């Protein structure tokens, strides 16, 4: 807690430098603008709202729950041509095809996930699972991710996420596939199943838990209040969750996200995403080394206006953090589970 040291991340096979004493240094760097609190519930000019017209001229239906549509500016397209042959091993290219979708969580722009009801969050989870199964039938990787807040590059305040399905395994997926496969081979148990059991027993990095899930600040966390959401049983993919596990997932997500918002009493920015066993052609293979999990990467460090920057040493050497994961977990764990907006009322 007082002296710098390095911690190993077995999921990525890399290290993070922990320098807890640095959090005491005075801050004279950039101050961010707090996230806006006055988002309009419905705006006809917002392309994600019900009834609004999007960039391609299509009009959204008057949806009342979740709403999924093709991204109007996709990073991946299903009919991209093959790149030309390389004339040197240092100049290689490969085909990259896929589809990109946008998923709105709710028709109201001012209602983020922690403020939604459990039934509404459960509907989001069910739609995630449907998209994973649908796109995963043909694509080997389906990445569900949410960028929340302008600090994380989100250009639209409406509650939504994106789903990119690709013809290839992205870098993070390939790395996690290798490390989890190696751990199962060496130790006879899926890495993150064993890790969840250890964290549930140790409790020093535990944030919230229920009968089916737990959330921890991982031992190897890079971002200040980074968390890892883990199931207690061995499950490879989101669509494999049973009814009860989906209900308890909605509950633990709500509890975590309320704590995030309560930390600095702002709509807490983050990037999050689900990782599970590859799909497509991998559905016919043994993927028992995989364990479903979700990563939450929030940038805030000291307050709603002070963020962690990954620059300098982090870009050129290795990741570094200023407070220990145990300190971050203790602070999150101690926060109330009633949203600050509801307490104010």
């Amino acid at each position: 807690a007082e002296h710098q040291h390095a911690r190993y991340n077995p999921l990525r096979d890399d290290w993070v430098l922990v320098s807890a004493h640095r959090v005491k240094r005075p801050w004279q760097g950039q101050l961010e603008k707090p996230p806006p609190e006055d988002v309009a519930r419905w705006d006809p000019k917002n392309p994600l709202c019900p009834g609004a017209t999007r960039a391609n001229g299509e009009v959204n239906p008057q949806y009342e729950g979740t709403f999924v549509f093709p991204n109007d500016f996709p990073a991946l397209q299903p009919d991209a041509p093959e790149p030309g042959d390389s004339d040197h091993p240092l100049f290689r290219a490969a085909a990259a095809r896929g589809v990109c979708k946008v998923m709105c969580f709710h028709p109201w722009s001012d209602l983020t996930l922690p403020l939604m009801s459990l039934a509404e969050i459960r509907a989001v989870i069910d739609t995630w699972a449907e998209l994973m199964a649908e796109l995963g039938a043909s694509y080997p990787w389906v990445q569900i991710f949410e960028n929340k807040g302008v600090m994380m590059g989100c250009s639209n305040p409406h509650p939504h996420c994106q789903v990119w399905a690709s013809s290839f395994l992205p870098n993070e997926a390939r790395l996690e596939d290798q490390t989890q496969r190696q751990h199962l081979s060496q130790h006879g148990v899926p890495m993150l199943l064993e890790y969840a059991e250890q964290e549930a027993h140790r409790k020093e990095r535990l944030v919230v838990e229920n009968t089916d899930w737990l959330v921890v600040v991982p031992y190897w966390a890079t971002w200040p209040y980074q968390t890892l959401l883990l199931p207690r049983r061995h499950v490879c993919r989101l669509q494999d969750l049973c009814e009860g596990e989906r209900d308890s997932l909605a509950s633990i997500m709500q509890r975590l996200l309320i704590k995030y918002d309560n930390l600095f009493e702002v709509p807490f920015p983050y990037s999050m995403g689900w990782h599970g066993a590859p799909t497509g052609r991998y559905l016919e293979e043994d993927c028992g080394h995989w364990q479903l999990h979700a990563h939450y990467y929030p940038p805030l460090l000291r307050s709603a206006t002070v963020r962690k920057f990954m620059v300098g040493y982090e870009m050129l050497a290795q990741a570094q953090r200023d407070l220990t994961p145990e300190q971050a977990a203790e602070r999150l764990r101690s926060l109330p589970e009633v949203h600050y907006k509801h307490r104010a009322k």
Side-chain angles (χ1 to χ4, degrees):
E2 296 296 329
H3 304 288
Q4 69 267 16
H5 59 281
R7 296 192 183 191
Y8 180 63
N9 181 348
L11 195 57
R12 301 195 73 260
D13 188 27
D14 64 9
W15 293 79
V16 57
L17 175 63
V18 182
S19 309
H21 57 283
R22 276 172 53 86
V23 79
K24 300 174 183 178
R25 76 192 193 280
W27 181 260
Q28 294 181 323
Q30 177 172 318
L31 296 179
E32 309 290 338
K33 291 182 179 179
E37 298 268 9
D38 56 346
V39 176
R41 177 157 293 183
W42 183 81
D43 181 353
K45 297 180 181 180
N46 186 329
L48 298 187
C49 283
T53 302
R54 303 202 310 273
N56 62 359
E58 292 190 20
V59 178
N60 296 335
Q62 295 291 340
Y63 65 92
E64 297 181 351
T66 61
F67 171 50
V68 180
F69 61 92
N71 193 314
D72 296 328
F73 303 96
L76 293 164
Q77 297 177 326
D79 54 357
E82 291 274 352
D85 293 334
S86 173
D87 61 356
H88 192 281
L90 294 178
F91 300 93
R92 291 189 296 169
R97 300 185 179 94
V99 295
C100 298
K101 294 181 179 290
V102 176
M103 172 185 161
C104 296
F105 296 154
H106 195 278
W108 295 355
S109 293
D110 61 341
L111 202 65
T112 56
L113 277 171
L115 294 171
M116 290 167 58
S117 70
L118 289 177
E120 290 166 336
I121 299 173
R122 169 64 196 266
V124 169
I125 293 166
D126 287 340
T127 306
W128 280 343
E130 291 169 8
L131 288 168
M132 288 291 295
E134 172 194 337
L135 298 173
S138 52
Y139 287 101
W141 190 256
V142 181
Q143 184 60 65
I144 295 171
F145 65 96
E146 178 194 4
N147 294 327
K148 181 184 174 185
V150 294
M151 223 177 282
M152 299 310 292
C154 182
S155 59
N156 193 310
H158 194 92
H160 72 286
C161 71
Q162 297 190 53
V163 185
W164 294 11
S166 62
S167 61
F168 55 91
L169 288 187
N171 293 339
E172 293 297 313
R174 285 192 296 108
L175 185 56
E176 289 195 4
D177 185 69
Q178 294 168 8
T179 57
Q180 290 179 96
R181 187 185 300 275
Q182 183 178 15
H183 187 92
L184 180 64
S185 175
Q186 293 179 350
H187 302 281
V189 60
M191 178 199 293
L192 292 181
L193 181 62
E194 181 179 13
Y195 179 67
E197 292 172 350
Q198 285 289 321
E199 289 288 30
H201 173 71
R202 295 170 184 256
K203 296 191 180 301
E204 57 188 332
R205 286 169 294 276
L206 191 65
V207 178
V208 287
E209 63 178 331
N210 59 27
T211 55
D212 300 311
W213 300 87
L214 69 158
V215 176
V216 300
V217 177
Y219 177 78
W220 52 80
T222 298
W223 294 91
Y225 293 97
Q226 175 182 335
T227 55
L228 185 63
L229 171 58
L230 295 163
R232 291 183 183 271
R233 79 170 176 97
H234 186 205
V235 54
C236 292
R237 300 179 177 94
L238 193 63
Q239 58 268 42
D240 298 335
L241 297 174
C242 68
E243 291 291 314
E245 288 168 331
R246 295 185 185 197
D247 286 338
S248 57
L249 175 57
S251 174
I252 203 164
M253 283 176 55
Q254 184 188 63
R255 293 169 64 196
L256 169 65
L257 297 179
I258 286 174
K259 284 180 177 290
Y260 268 161
D261 280 10
N262 284 344
L263 180 60
F264 299 127
E265 296 198 344
V266 293
F268 204 70
Y270 58 75
S271 282
M272 73 80 65
W274 284 100
H275 281 173
T279 48
R281 63 183 182 273
Y282 295 93
L283 292 171
E284 305 300 321
E285 298 184 8
D286 181 4
C287 290
H289 55 289
W290 270 90
Q291 175 74 330
L292 176 70
H293 58 283
H295 296 282
Y296 284 84
Y297 298 129
L300 294 179
L301 174 60
R302 301 183 183 209
S303 69
T305 61
V306 177
R307 66 179 298 180
K308 166 69 176 178
F309 288 93
M310 290 293 181
V311 295
Y313 190 85
E314 290 89 351
M315 295 178 69
L316 297 165
Q318 70 179 38
Q320 180 269 334
R321 60 177 293 121
D322 289 353
L323 75 164
T324 69
E326 294 76 26
Q327 291 167 337
E330 181 180 10
R331 186 166 184 189
L332 289 172
R333 188 168 54 243
S334 66
L335 290 167
E337 294 186 10
V338 176
H339 199 277
Y340 72 91
K341 289 186 176 182
H342 293 162
R343 295 202 310 274
K345 291 180 181 180

